[in-house]
Amino acid sequence: MTSLNCVAVLPARMGSSRFPGKPMAKILGVPMIEHVYRRVKMAKSLSEVYVATCDAEIYEHIFAIGGKAVYTSDKHERCSDRCAEAMLKIESEKSKAVDILVMVQGDEPMVHPEMIDEALAPMLENAEIYITNLLGTIETVEEFEDPNEVKVVVDRRNRALYFSREPIPSRKKGSLQVPMLKQVCMIPFRRDFLLEYNEMEPSPLEVIESVDMMRILENDLQVLMVPTSHKTKAVDTIEDLHRVEKEMLVDPLCSNYLTHDL
């Protein structure tokens, strides 16, 4: 574990427009948010892990399994705002500042703990890096064209050039060799940058693309993309839930944490 206070916060709410009640949807008999919590908690670089929620059902479940949760406002429109509120409450409770907050979406039940360590590594080595995103590969054209997947184009040093839910770069000229890369939603922010980011006005391309990271690029700042070889799949629909459950049947991590208490 690093000497820095690195805290993961998992924003989760029941009122998803595409999939109401998603965090408590069961995978192998266990609510999705519990899978995410238990897997993130295995990361070596973290000091603590919390779920940030406005819903009693989620809060009480995490508390019941021996986990940590923070009540947040039900007015937040963005995960980063919910995470920032949770961070300030955690700091007040612990009387200790958070150095890096790692935002992990509560709909990533296949997250591997090493992914958290990978995303944090550049920030632990270089104090000038204020945010990273994990960079995954897209293996099928179907996934490349799926608007639920956030695609990204990077420069030669893996700094993000552009994010979109559209398939970028273009395949319209018939090329099958374009790099098909995606954002994986385990996002470490340095504490003060998270607060600064939330004070920025939503940017035009952020709104058009429906990708929060565009706000950073439009303010002439950088997002370092960190490649990961671990495969994961976010759950956006019931169909995704069924696909993920089939894959997790043979996931060795599941048999590890589902048979042990926190």
Side-chain angles (χ1 to χ4, degrees):
M1 186 182 295
T2 173
S3 59
L4 293 180
N5 187 22
C6 300
V7 175
V9 173
L10 287 50
R13 64 186 183 92
M14 296 294 284
S16 168
S17 58
R18 287 179 293 182
F19 190 164
K22 180 167 65 170
M24 294 300 292
K26 290 189 176 180
I27 299 172
L28 303 178
V30 172
M32 178 160 54
I33 190 63
E34 181 179 342
H35 282 285
V36 182
Y37 185 91
R38 289 181 180 274
R39 295 164 80 98
V40 170
K41 212 171 153 46
M42 296 179 189
K44 296 177 182 178
S45 304
L46 295 174
S47 306
E48 294 186 283
V49 181
Y50 290 83
V51 171
T53 185
C54 56
D55 295 297
E57 186 176 354
I58 297 172
Y59 181 95
E60 290 168 3
H61 180 77
I62 295 300
F63 182 80
I65 64 171
K68 297 179 181 180
V70 179
Y71 268 124
T72 53
S73 169
D74 61 359
K75 306 299 183 186
H76 294 308
E77 295 184 5
R78 295 177 179 82
C79 293
S80 60
D81 294 320
R82 190 178 305 282
C83 287
E85 182 190 352
M87 179 182 74
L88 295 176
K89 287 187 173 181
I90 293 164
E91 289 182 332
S92 177
E93 177 188 329
K94 298 289 185 179
S95 299
K96 182 180 181 181
V98 170
D99 294 306
I100 299 174
L101 181 138
V102 186
M103 182 172 71
V104 183
Q105 300 286 19
D107 59 3
E108 289 277 359
M110 294 181 67
V111 57
H112 193 285
E114 289 179 2
M115 299 172 80
I116 308 298
D117 300 329
E118 289 172 338
L120 276 167
M123 298 177 73
L124 300 180
E125 295 169 3
N126 185 347
E128 295 184 2
I129 298 174
Y130 39 81
I131 184 170
T132 65
N133 282 198
L134 280 184
L135 180 66
T137 56
I138 294 175
E139 297 178 350
T140 68
V141 172
E142 179 185 12
E143 186 182 7
F144 193 50
E145 295 177 348
D146 182 353
N148 290 319
E149 291 286 2
V150 175
K151 273 67 73 174
V152 61
V153 175
V154 299
D155 68 12
R156 292 180 179 180
R157 290 192 282 173
N158 280 338
R159 295 173 301 187
L161 293 172
Y162 201 84
F163 295 87
S164 179
R165 294 182 181 276
E166 300 299 317
I168 56 171
S170 173
R171 297 175 65 250
K172 286 186 177 179
K173 292 186 178 181
S175 172
L176 299 178
Q177 303 303 315
V178 301
M180 298 193 298
L181 303 172
K182 66 179 178 178
Q183 176 201 47
V184 181
C185 287
M186 289 106 211
I187 305 176
F189 291 82
R190 290 204 188 273
R191 177 198 186 276
D192 291 347
F193 181 68
L194 174 60
L195 299 178
E196 177 186 341
Y197 168 80
N198 285 339
E199 288 298 317
M200 298 176 187
E201 290 294 325
S203 63
L205 290 174
E206 172 190 0
V207 175
I208 290 169
E209 298 290 356
S210 188
V211 179
D212 291 354
M213 290 296 104
M214 287 304 301
R215 188 187 314 179
I216 297 175
L217 301 189
E218 285 189 84
N219 280 278
D220 200 27
L221 299 169
Q222 295 179 355
V223 179
L224 178 65
M225 305 301 296
V226 182
T228 181
S229 60
H230 290 286
K231 305 299 181 186
T232 184
K233 173 65 180 172
V235 173
D236 294 299
T237 65
I238 291 285
E239 291 73 25
D240 292 337
L241 187 78
H242 296 325
R243 281 196 294 268
V244 163
E245 184 167 52
K246 287 181 181 178
E247 294 189 36
M248 291 181 72
L249 277 169
V250 294
D251 185 332
L253 275 184
C254 283
S255 58
N256 184 319
Y257 64 79
L258 290 179
T259 56
H260 296 85
D261 295 331
L262 283 172

